[in-house]
Amino acid sequence: MRSAAPALALLLGACAGAPATGPEAPAWTRGQIASLRHWLAAAPEEALPRFDAAALDAAAGLWSGDAANRAATELALKLARAHLKGCANPVERGGWRIPDDKDDGTVEASLREALASDADLDHFFASVRPQHPEYTALQAAYVAETDANRRITLARNLERWRWMPRDLGENYVLVNLPAFEVGLWRQGERAQSWPAVIGKTSSATPVFASTITHVVINPWWEIPPSIVAENGGRFSSRGGYVRTASGHWRQKPGPGNSLGRMKLAMANPYNIYLHDTPAKGLFSQSRRAYSHGCVRVSDALGFAATLLEGAMTRRQVDRLADLAKPGAAAPRMALAGLAPPEPEPLKTANVALPQSLPVYITYFTAGRRADGTLRIEEDVYGRDMLVGDPSDPQRQCSP
C-alpha cells in the first residue's frame, strides 16, 4: 500500500459531524476550487452520492470571496468525511461492531493546513479514501460493472470498507463470513487463506474485532449456557462431558471435543473463537453455515502452526496435539479378552504467539477470493438489505 503523506497524520481521525469551528472559512484559490469540483464529480465513481454544489456555483460565479470560501469548505469537509467514514446511518451499520480509528475530529484542521500551504488537494482527498487493496479492487470493479444488481452489491461493500479501521495492523487475520474464509495478511498482502465454517442463520457469527494472543492446543470446551439449554442439559460422560461444582458443563480434550485440537485465545464478549472441529466433512460443502457462532477453520493445526512461525514448528504443534494412545500392554490385554486401559488425559497447552495479532470478523458480500478473482457472495445473513444504495443521488451524508 502506498505511504501516507505528512498531512495524513492528521487524518487518522474524522470529525464526527461538527461544523467548521474557525472564525472564518479558509481562503480558497480558483485552482483549489477546480480541484474540489473534480473530486465532487468523481464521488459517484466511489459509490458516493453527488453533493449539492449550488451554493458554490452561485458564489464562485460571482466570485464572492467569503461566500465561495464558506461553500467550498463545507463541501470539501462533507466529501472528505464521506470518503473517510461513509454515509451510513446507525440502522445500516446495525450489527457492525468493529470500531474504527477515525474519530478525533482533525479533518478540518488538515484541510486548512492544505489550503494555507497551497498543498495538492488531490493528495488531500486521495488520502482520506480507504487505502486497503480490497477497496481499490472493488472500486475498479464498480466503475466497470454494468449490471445494476451487481453494482449495488459492490457499492454496499465499498461503503463497508469505509467503516473499517484505517490501520488494520502490519499483520492480521481477516475473516470474511459470506466467503466462508479465513485470511492471514502480512505486510499489506494476503499471505494464505483457509476455508471456514461459520454460524448458522439462527446463531449468526457477530462482526467484531479482537486480538489473538495464544494458541490453545487440546482445549477444554466451556459449554455456553445457550447450548446447554438447547440440549436440555443432556450430556453424557461418554462424550467427555464434565459437570463442575458450580453447575457448568465442560468437555474434555479428545477426538470428539467440539473445539477439535486447537482454538485461538481472543478475548471478546461474545464467547466466539476460531477453532478446529471434528466435523471435517463440512469443509467439502460450498455453503458452510453450521456452527453455533464460532468460526471453524480447515487444517486448524496448519493454521495454528502458521501463526506460530518463529516460536514453534508444525512438527512441534502436531506433537503437542497428538491424541493419547493406549500403553504398550494394550495389545496383550486385548488378546486376553481384557478391556484396554483408558488413555491418559490429554494435556492442554497454551502457546503464546510471537506477537499478538489483530483479528477482524467481517461481512463483505463482494471481494477477491484467495485466487484473486472477484466474487459476489451469497448474503448469507441478509445484511445487504440493511444498507441502502450508497450511490443514491437522494442519499444524504452527515455534515
Side-chain angles (χ1 to χ4, degrees), residues 21-348:
T21 57
E24 60 183 25
W28 287 70
T29 66
R30 292 179 185 269
Q32 288 168 338
I33 288 181
S35 179
L36 171 60
R37 289 187 185 280
H38 163 77
W39 281 91
L40 289 168
E45 295 180 3
E46 309 251 356
L48 289 172
R50 293 187 182 276
F51 292 85
D52 185 0
L56 177 62
D57 293 339
L62 298 173
W63 197 250
S64 172
D66 289 344
N69 290 338
R70 287 194 300 271
T73 300
E74 180 181 353
L75 277 173
L77 291 176
K78 283 183 177 180
L79 179 59
R81 291 166 185 151
H83 277 297
L84 199 64
K85 301 276 286 182
C87 289
N89 59 45
V91 172
E92 292 173 308
R93 291 175 181 256
W96 189 274
R97 302 182 183 92
I98 299 176
D100 65 32
D101 56 356
K102 308 185 292 276
D103 295 321
D104 68 2
T106 58
V107 167
E108 183 181 343
S110 184
L111 174 62
R112 287 178 176 273
E113 179 182 314
L115 293 171
S117 62
D118 200 25
D120 184 0
L121 279 183
D122 286 345
H123 182 79
F124 167 80
F125 285 115
S127 66
V128 295
R129 299 166 69 248
Q131 305 296 302
H132 200 279
E134 290 297 294
Y135 179 89
T136 302
L138 280 178
Q139 194 268 334
Y142 177 77
V143 171
E145 184 58 63
T146 58
D147 180 86
N149 291 330
R150 288 174 63 90
R151 272 181 68 84
I152 193 170
T153 297
L154 292 167
R156 286 166 171 152
N157 287 278
L158 286 169
E159 175 71 5
R160 287 189 179 110
W161 273 108
R162 291 188 275 265
W163 305 346
M164 290 288 286
R166 187 171 194 85
D167 182 9
L168 299 182
E170 187 176 27
N171 304 309
Y172 54 90
V173 171
L174 192 147
V175 179
N176 186 14
L177 299 175
F180 307 105
E181 186 178 83
V182 174
L184 174 63
W185 286 73
R186 287 177 170 162
Q187 306 296 323
E189 299 291 337
R190 178 162 29 197
Q192 199 168 342
S193 297
W194 293 262
V197 172
I198 68 170
K200 52 193 174 184
T201 54
S202 60
S203 54
T205 304
V207 173
F208 70 99
S210 184
T211 301
I212 302 168
T213 58
H214 291 72
V215 172
V216 184
I217 303 294
N218 296 327
W220 283 77
W221 181 33
E222 308 293 339
I223 307 176
S226 59
I227 297 179
V228 173
E230 182 180 315
N231 286 272
R234 295 185 298 273
F235 295 99
S236 167
S237 60
R238 295 180 62 184
Y241 297 102
V242 176
R243 190 167 190 173
T244 68
S246 60
H248 297 294
W249 282 97
R250 310 175 75 202
Q251 188 182 26
K252 296 178 181 179
N257 184 283
S258 294
L259 300 182
R261 294 190 285 171
M262 182 282 289
K263 83 166 187 177
L264 300 183
M266 41 185 279
N268 67 89
Y270 314 108
N271 201 27
I272 295 297
Y273 302 94
L274 276 65
H275 64 80
D276 188 17
T277 176
K280 310 295 188 189
L282 295 179
F283 293 109
S284 64
Q285 302 190 28
S286 58
R287 189 184 190 278
R288 299 187 291 273
Y290 294 103
S291 82
H292 284 89
C294 284
V295 177
R296 307 173 188 174
V297 187
S298 177
D299 185 24
L301 290 181
F303 176 51
T306 301
L307 299 187
L308 289 170
E309 284 179 1
M312 185 171 286
T313 66
R314 173 64 191 264
R315 178 173 292 185
Q316 289 172 318
V317 170
D318 287 345
R319 285 176 178 170
L320 273 181
D322 273 348
L323 301 181
K325 299 179 177 64
R332 295 193 301 272
M333 295 179 70
L335 288 174
L338 301 175
E342 288 290 326
E344 293 183 7
L346 290 173
K347 293 183 179 180
T348 299

